[in-house]
């Protein structure tokens, strides 16, 4: 039975929790004289209290323990969401540079082409340290995601692909379900050996960037990322079986998603009133939409002119050049837009609004937007 450990950070020191996880998974024996990659979520230049990126306290405790266990090499690194972000600057703002205690590396610098077992793509460039690592510790955030409903262990491994290429991958798939398949393909390039999820400050609502931070005070660990994500979904009040990423991973025998078959060490509690992106029937139809009705399944992001600072990051990141300036503000071209929501994910000011499917239909039919 796969085990998932849920630890409470309110009554326990983070360093003690990490000690226990290292002991439980016998990390010392596994990593001595080995090359270890610690893969946090460093999506963009956001301070820890925003709940977007991995908490530096967790990274600090992991690095400290890896040093004690005498790893040959420790690398802490991630590819942010955009090539327009300076990795060192992001690491500094997120607190991960200091927390890494000399181990932070810009993993986008060296890439290597690898074969991918996927119907969408044969080969992909990924960061070389990922492939060279003997042991990978994935350190995702407990967050919702506007496109894939959750972002956790599986989605965090999307970050093995350097910046701009990630957005481009959205153009290879025609629906959210297909994109979820591609994400699992990428997860399978290099399945992490251990996952330690930062659920100290999570994110609810429309994540992964502009949702609301939610204090959870937990660290969740497992050597199986699928079961870990299933526990996270359950805590969010979602059924793991309803999440496309988890359905696909289960079909491929990558892990258990039936919560009754997962051995949970700790207290599994559903967080009261946790806000999740709409995953109702209409959303499900939209997510599965095949190309000939895809136009109807699209949702056009809108820009809140009161919040927009005209930084143009949404224009830079759009993989199909659908976002352009119109009367000094960015506006998405409905015909070109593929509803990947990269613009929303990368807007640092929360100025991009994703209307519900029904609201978008109203905007389209009644307001002509
Ligand atoms: S919508 Fe956001 S990302 Fe786009 S220009 Fe405005 S502030 Fe920048
Ligand atoms: S406008 Fe936004 S949602 Fe539409 S394709 Fe571009 S980045 Fe994706």
């Amino acid at each position: 039975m796969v085990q998932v450990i849920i630890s409470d950070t309110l009554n326990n020191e983070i360093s003690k929790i990490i000690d226990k996880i290292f002991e439980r998974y016998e990390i010392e024996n596994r990593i001595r004289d080995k090359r270890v990659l610690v893969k946090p979520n460093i999506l963009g230049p956001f301070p820890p209290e925003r709940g977007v990126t991995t908490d530096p306290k967790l990274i600090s405790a992991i690095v400290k323990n890896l040093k004690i266990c005498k790893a040959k090499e420790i690398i802490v690194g991630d590819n942010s969401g955009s090539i327009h972000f300076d990795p060192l600057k992001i690491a500094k703002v997120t607190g991960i540079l200091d927390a890494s205690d000399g181990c932070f590396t810009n993993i986008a610098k060296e890439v290597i082409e690898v074969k991918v077992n996927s119907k969408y793509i044969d080969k992909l460039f990924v960061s070389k340290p990922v492939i060279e690592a003997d042991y990978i510790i994935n350190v995702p955030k407990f967050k919702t995601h506007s496109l894939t409903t959750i972002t956790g262990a599986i989605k965090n491994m999307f970050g093995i692909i350097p910046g701009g290429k990630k957005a481009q991958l959205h153009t290879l798939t025609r629906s959210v379900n297909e994109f979820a398949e591609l994400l699992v393909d990428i997860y399978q390039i290099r399945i992490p050996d251990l996952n330690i999820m930062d659920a100290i400050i999570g994110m609810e609502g429309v994540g992964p960037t502009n949702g609301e931070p939610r204090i959870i005070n937990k660290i969740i660990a497992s050597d199986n990322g699928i079961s870990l994500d299933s526990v996270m979904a359950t805590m969010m009040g979602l059924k793991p079986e309803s999440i496309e990423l988890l359905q696909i991973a289960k079909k491929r025998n990558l892990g258990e998603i039936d919560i009754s078959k997962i051995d949970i060490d700790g207290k599994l509690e559903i967080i009261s009133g946790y806000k999740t992106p709409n995953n109702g029937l209409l959303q499900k139809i939209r997510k599965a939409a095949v190309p000939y009705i895809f136009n109807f399944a699209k949702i056009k992001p809108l820009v809140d002119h009161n919040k927009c600072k005209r930084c143009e990051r949404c224009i830079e990141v759009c993989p199909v050049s659908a976002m352009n300036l119109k009367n000094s503000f960015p506006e998405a071209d409905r015909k070109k837009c593929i509803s990947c929501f990269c613009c929303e994910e990368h807007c640092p000011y929360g100025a991009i609004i994703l209307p519900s499917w029904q609201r978008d239909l109203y905007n389209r039919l009644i307001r002509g937007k």
Side-chain angles (χ1 to χ4, degrees):
M1 215 179 199
V2 182
Q3 197 181 44
V4 176
I5 306 172
I6 303 175
S7 312
D8 176 6
T9 59
L10 204 56
N11 303 310
N12 300 287
E13 282 174 37
I14 291 174
S15 59
K16 297 257 162 59
I17 294 172
I18 299 302
D19 287 349
K20 182 182 155 193
I21 294 168
F22 267 54
E23 219 170 277
R24 164 66 186 78
Y25 291 101
E26 299 173 352
I27 307 295
E28 188 167 0
N29 297 335
R30 294 176 198 274
I31 62 107
R32 184 174 289 266
D33 295 326
K34 298 274 169 62
R35 191 176 282 158
V36 183
L37 173 72
V38 179
K39 163 67 182 75
N41 179 332
I42 318 183
L43 177 63
F46 303 100
E49 61 275 14
R50 280 278 308 267
V52 180
T53 50
T54 302
D55 195 310
K57 296 192 286 299
L58 187 51
I59 298 300
S60 171
I62 293 171
V63 169
K64 200 171 158 207
N65 268 32
L66 287 172
K67 286 188 174 179
I68 293 169
C69 294
K70 300 206 176 345
K72 180 170 81 182
E73 189 183 1
I74 305 163
I75 289 179
V76 179
D78 186 22
N79 288 296
S80 76
S82 165
I83 44 165
H84 302 283
F85 292 143
D86 169 6
L88 210 61
K89 188 179 161 205
I90 303 180
K92 213 170 181 176
V93 175
T94 54
I96 288 176
L97 186 65
D98 282 348
S100 302
D101 194 17
C103 299
F104 178 79
T105 305
N106 174 6
I107 64 166
K109 261 189 181 166
E110 275 192 284
V111 294
I112 184 167
E113 196 172 37
V114 295
K115 282 191 180 162
V116 194
N117 190 6
S118 169
K119 61 182 175 198
Y120 305 106
I121 194 161
D122 298 328
K123 289 174 186 170
L124 257 177
F125 281 102
V126 305
S127 287
K128 207 171 171 192
V130 174
I131 303 304
E132 289 179 343
D134 299 308
Y135 197 87
I136 295 185
I137 304 181
N138 188 21
V139 200
K141 282 292 284 187
F142 187 109
K143 289 196 293 184
T144 50
H145 197 286
S146 53
L147 194 68
T148 53
T149 312
I150 58 164
T151 177
I154 301 174
K155 181 81 172 46
N156 199 42
M157 292 307 282
F158 194 31
I160 65 174
I161 297 164
K165 294 236 169 22
K166 283 199 284 294
Q168 283 303 326
L169 290 176
H170 284 272
T171 63
L172 301 178
T173 57
R174 302 161 302 174
S175 66
V176 180
N177 284 3
E178 287 192 356
F179 184 63
E181 264 187 344
L182 179 59
L183 285 175
V184 180
D185 297 339
I186 291 166
Y187 178 78
Q188 288 188 269
I189 291 175
R190 177 62 170 91
I191 294 177
D193 301 281
L194 181 65
N195 306 274
I196 305 178
M197 178 175 277
D198 164 18
I200 304 168
I201 302 177
M203 179 172 282
E204 62 179 349
V206 188
T209 309
N210 292 305
E212 297 140 55
R214 173 96 186 231
I215 295 171
I216 304 168
N217 284 322
K218 298 276 189 283
I219 289 172
I220 313 168
S222 179
D223 55 1
N224 188 292
I226 312 315
S227 298
L228 177 78
D229 282 356
S230 301
V231 167
M232 172 181 74
T234 305
M235 288 172 73
M236 287 177 173
L238 296 163
K239 285 198 184 332
E241 296 78 7
S242 72
I243 311 285
E244 294 77 15
L245 279 172
L246 297 175
Q247 289 164 358
I248 295 160
K250 168 74 184 166
K251 261 190 215 151
R252 296 186 192 178
N253 286 323
L254 295 177
E256 186 53 71
I257 69 169
D258 179 344
I259 218 74
S260 68
K261 293 182 180 157
I262 299 172
D263 174 16
I264 295 169
D265 176 355
K267 205 169 170 194
L268 174 65
E269 281 174 317
I270 296 174
I271 304 165
S272 166
Y274 202 88
K275 293 182 212 146
T276 52
N278 190 339
N279 204 29
L281 186 62
L282 282 175
Q283 294 296 326
K284 289 200 163 299
I285 295 169
R286 188 180 76 75
K287 285 180 175 185
V290 288
Y292 69 94
I293 60 160
F294 192 48
N295 254 343
F296 265 103
K298 276 182 190 175
I299 286 178
K300 175 182 157 175
L302 301 174
V303 175
D304 180 342
H305 291 190
N306 293 322
K307 286 188 178 171
C308 177
K309 306 267 190 248
R310 300 190 231 180
C311 67
E312 299 189 15
R313 200 156 281 154
C314 53
I315 296 175
E316 289 157 7
V317 84
C318 177
V320 290
S321 305
M323 194 60 101
N324 291 294
L325 285 182
K326 200 172 168 190
N327 300 326
S328 308
F329 284 98
E331 184 172 336
D333 177 339
R334 187 181 281 281
K335 280 199 188 118
K336 284 188 186 169
C337 177
I338 56 169
S339 297
C340 66
F341 305 154
C342 289
C343 51
E344 190 271 336
E345 186 170 333
H346 294 289
C347 174
Y349 304 103
I352 294 193
I353 306 157
L354 301 177
S356 66
W357 191 76
Q358 297 91 319
R359 184 76 208 174
D360 185 65
L361 200 62
Y362 172 80
N363 288 344
R364 181 196 314 229
L365 298 178
I366 312 292
R367 299 175 70 203
K369 283 200 169 183

mmCIF file of all heavy atoms in Angstrom, residues 118-135:
data_model
loop_
_atom_site.group_PDB
_atom_site.id
_atom_site.type_symbol
_atom_site.label_atom_id
_atom_site.label_comp_id
_atom_site.label_asym_id
_atom_site.label_seq_id
_atom_site.Cartn_x
_atom_site.Cartn_y
_atom_site.Cartn_z
ATOM 1 N N SER A 118 4.883 9.774 -26.207
ATOM 2 C CA SER A 118 3.683 10.604 -26.239
ATOM 3 C C SER A 118 3.128 10.639 -27.649
ATOM 4 O O SER A 118 3.887 10.620 -28.617
ATOM 5 C CB SER A 118 4.055 12.025 -25.800
ATOM 6 O OG SER A 118 3.000 12.918 -26.060
ATOM 7 N N LYS A 119 1.795 10.717 -27.747
ATOM 8 C CA LYS A 119 1.243 10.817 -29.094
ATOM 9 C C LYS A 119 1.272 12.253 -29.611
ATOM 10 O O LYS A 119 0.914 12.512 -30.747
ATOM 11 C CB LYS A 119 -0.170 10.242 -29.152
ATOM 12 C CG LYS A 119 -1.188 10.902 -28.276
ATOM 13 C CD LYS A 119 -2.515 10.138 -28.454
ATOM 14 C CE LYS A 119 -3.544 10.677 -27.505
ATOM 15 N NZ LYS A 119 -4.666 9.842 -27.272
ATOM 16 N N TYR A 120 1.714 13.184 -28.764
ATOM 17 C CA TYR A 120 1.718 14.592 -29.168
ATOM 18 C C TYR A 120 3.096 15.083 -29.599
ATOM 19 O O TYR A 120 3.210 16.060 -30.315
ATOM 20 C CB TYR A 120 1.202 15.473 -28.018
ATOM 21 C CG TYR A 120 -0.156 15.017 -27.546
ATOM 22 C CD1 TYR A 120 -0.306 14.340 -26.347
ATOM 23 C CD2 TYR A 120 -1.280 15.212 -28.339
ATOM 24 C CE1 TYR A 120 -1.548 13.885 -25.931
ATOM 25 C CE2 TYR A 120 -2.518 14.755 -27.931
ATOM 26 C CZ TYR A 120 -2.640 14.100 -26.730
ATOM 27 O OH TYR A 120 -3.874 13.636 -26.338
ATOM 28 N N ILE A 121 4.127 14.432 -29.116
ATOM 29 C CA ILE A 121 5.490 14.897 -29.418
ATOM 30 C C ILE A 121 6.468 13.728 -29.243
ATOM 31 O O ILE A 121 6.274 12.875 -28.371
ATOM 32 C CB ILE A 121 5.858 16.105 -28.497
ATOM 33 C CG1 ILE A 121 7.100 16.808 -29.007
ATOM 34 C CG2 ILE A 121 5.986 15.723 -27.044
ATOM 35 C CD1 ILE A 121 7.265 18.223 -28.454
ATOM 36 N N ASP A 122 7.514 13.679 -30.107
ATOM 37 C CA ASP A 122 8.481 12.566 -30.026
ATOM 38 C C ASP A 122 9.664 12.894 -29.127
ATOM 39 O O ASP A 122 10.189 12.028 -28.430
ATOM 40 C CB ASP A 122 9.047 12.251 -31.427
ATOM 41 C CG ASP A 122 7.962 11.800 -32.366
ATOM 42 O OD1 ASP A 122 7.009 11.179 -31.877
ATOM 43 O OD2 ASP A 122 8.060 12.095 -33.576
ATOM 44 N N LYS A 123 10.095 14.168 -29.230
ATOM 45 C CA LYS A 123 11.294 14.567 -28.480
ATOM 46 C C LYS A 123 11.058 15.919 -27.822
ATOM 47 O O LYS A 123 10.274 16.729 -28.327
ATOM 48 C CB LYS A 123 12.473 14.725 -29.446
ATOM 49 C CG LYS A 123 12.996 13.437 -30.007
ATOM 50 C CD LYS A 123 14.047 13.749 -31.039
ATOM 51 C CE LYS A 123 14.508 12.496 -31.739
ATOM 52 N NZ LYS A 123 15.338 12.812 -32.893
ATOM 53 N N LEU A 124 11.774 16.145 -26.747
ATOM 54 C CA LEU A 124 11.626 17.422 -26.028
ATOM 55 C C LEU A 124 12.966 17.819 -25.415
ATOM 56 O O LEU A 124 13.748 16.952 -25.004
ATOM 57 C CB LEU A 124 10.660 17.227 -24.864
ATOM 58 C CG LEU A 124 9.241 17.736 -24.986
ATOM 59 C CD1 LEU A 124 8.468 17.367 -23.736
ATOM 60 C CD2 LEU A 124 9.208 19.237 -25.182
ATOM 61 N N PHE A 125 13.215 19.109 -25.341
ATOM 62 C CA PHE A 125 14.390 19.576 -24.616
ATOM 63 C C PHE A 125 14.014 19.750 -23.154
ATOM 64 O O PHE A 125 13.016 20.403 -22.840
ATOM 65 C CB PHE A 125 14.881 20.915 -25.184
ATOM 66 C CG PHE A 125 15.661 20.739 -26.454
ATOM 67 C CD1 PHE A 125 15.088 20.999 -27.692
ATOM 68 C CD2 PHE A 125 16.972 20.277 -26.409
ATOM 69 C CE1 PHE A 125 15.800 20.812 -28.863
ATOM 70 C CE2 PHE A 125 17.701 20.090 -27.575
ATOM 71 C CZ PHE A 125 17.111 20.356 -28.809
ATOM 72 N N VAL A 126 14.794 19.128 -22.285
ATOM 73 C CA VAL A 126 14.563 19.315 -20.852
ATOM 74 C C VAL A 126 15.882 19.733 -20.194
ATOM 75 O O VAL A 126 16.955 19.575 -20.783
ATOM 76 C CB VAL A 126 14.012 18.036 -20.155
ATOM 77 C CG1 VAL A 126 12.766 17.522 -20.818
ATOM 78 C CG2 VAL A 126 15.036 16.951 -20.086
ATOM 79 N N SER A 127 15.793 20.276 -19.004
ATOM 80 C CA SER A 127 17.013 20.696 -18.307
ATOM 81 C C SER A 127 17.903 19.489 -18.025
ATOM 82 O O SER A 127 17.443 18.466 -17.504
ATOM 83 C CB SER A 127 16.648 21.388 -16.990
ATOM 84 O OG SER A 127 16.115 22.642 -17.262
ATOM 85 N N LYS A 128 19.188 19.647 -18.371
ATOM 86 C CA LYS A 128 20.127 18.527 -18.228
ATOM 87 C C LYS A 128 20.241 18.002 -16.787
ATOM 88 O O LYS A 128 20.282 16.785 -16.574
ATOM 89 C CB LYS A 128 21.500 18.975 -18.739
ATOM 90 C CG LYS A 128 22.356 17.861 -19.247
ATOM 91 C CD LYS A 128 23.574 18.436 -19.930
ATOM 92 C CE LYS A 128 24.561 17.347 -20.264
ATOM 93 N NZ LYS A 128 25.840 17.908 -20.652
ATOM 94 N N PRO A 129 20.287 18.894 -15.781
ATOM 95 C CA PRO A 129 20.418 18.371 -14.409
ATOM 96 C C PRO A 129 19.300 17.405 -14.018
ATOM 97 O O PRO A 129 19.492 16.570 -13.130
ATOM 98 C CB PRO A 129 20.363 19.641 -13.548
ATOM 99 C CG PRO A 129 20.805 20.741 -14.445
ATOM 100 C CD PRO A 129 20.301 20.380 -15.812
ATOM 101 N N VAL A 130 18.153 17.504 -14.680
ATOM 102 C CA VAL A 130 17.036 16.594 -14.364
ATOM 103 C C VAL A 130 17.413 15.174 -14.800
ATOM 104 O O VAL A 130 17.206 14.199 -14.064
ATOM 105 C CB VAL A 130 15.743 17.051 -15.094
ATOM 106 C CG1 VAL A 130 14.618 16.051 -14.910
ATOM 107 C CG2 VAL A 130 15.331 18.439 -14.636
ATOM 108 N N ILE A 131 17.966 15.084 -15.982
ATOM 109 C CA ILE A 131 18.322 13.771 -16.531
ATOM 110 C C ILE A 131 19.555 13.205 -15.824
ATOM 111 O O ILE A 131 19.681 11.996 -15.629
ATOM 112 C CB ILE A 131 18.556 13.890 -18.070
ATOM 113 C CG1 ILE A 131 17.297 14.460 -18.747
ATOM 114 C CG2 ILE A 131 18.957 12.558 -18.695
ATOM 115 C CD1 ILE A 131 16.002 13.687 -18.496
ATOM 116 N N GLU A 132 20.446 14.082 -15.422
ATOM 117 C CA GLU A 132 21.688 13.618 -14.779
ATOM 118 C C GLU A 132 21.504 13.280 -13.298
ATOM 119 O O GLU A 132 22.373 12.639 -12.709
ATOM 120 C CB GLU A 132 22.761 14.702 -14.920
ATOM 121 C CG GLU A 132 23.260 14.816 -16.351
ATOM 122 C CD GLU A 132 24.322 15.899 -16.522
ATOM 123 O OE1 GLU A 132 24.442 16.769 -15.630
ATOM 124 O OE2 GLU A 132 25.013 15.879 -17.542
ATOM 125 N N ALA A 133 20.411 13.713 -12.711
ATOM 126 C CA ALA A 133 20.221 13.497 -11.266
ATOM 127 C C ALA A 133 20.036 12.009 -10.945
ATOM 128 O O ALA A 133 19.334 11.287 -11.655
ATOM 129 C CB ALA A 133 19.007 14.283 -10.779
ATOM 130 N N ASP A 134 20.673 11.567 -9.871
ATOM 131 C CA ASP A 134 20.468 10.181 -9.407
ATOM 132 C C ASP A 134 19.181 10.102 -8.586
ATOM 133 O O ASP A 134 18.568 9.043 -8.478
ATOM 134 C CB ASP A 134 21.631 9.751 -8.493
ATOM 135 C CG ASP A 134 22.961 9.789 -9.224
ATOM 136 O OD1 ASP A 134 23.044 9.187 -10.299
ATOM 137 O OD2 ASP A 134 23.894 10.458 -8.718
ATOM 138 N N TYR A 135 18.818 11.218 -7.978
ATOM 139 C CA TYR A 135 17.660 11.221 -7.073
ATOM 140 C C TYR A 135 16.975 12.590 -7.194
ATOM 141 O O TYR A 135 17.639 13.626 -7.147
ATOM 142 C CB TYR A 135 18.140 10.988 -5.629
ATOM 143 C CG TYR A 135 17.054 10.574 -4.673
ATOM 144 C CD1 TYR A 135 16.707 9.242 -4.514
ATOM 145 C CD2 TYR A 135 16.371 11.530 -3.921
ATOM 146 C CE1 TYR A 135 15.699 8.863 -3.632
ATOM 147 C CE2 TYR A 135 15.366 11.155 -3.040
ATOM 148 C CZ TYR A 135 15.036 9.813 -2.895
ATOM 149 O OH TYR A 135 14.047 9.435 -2.018
#
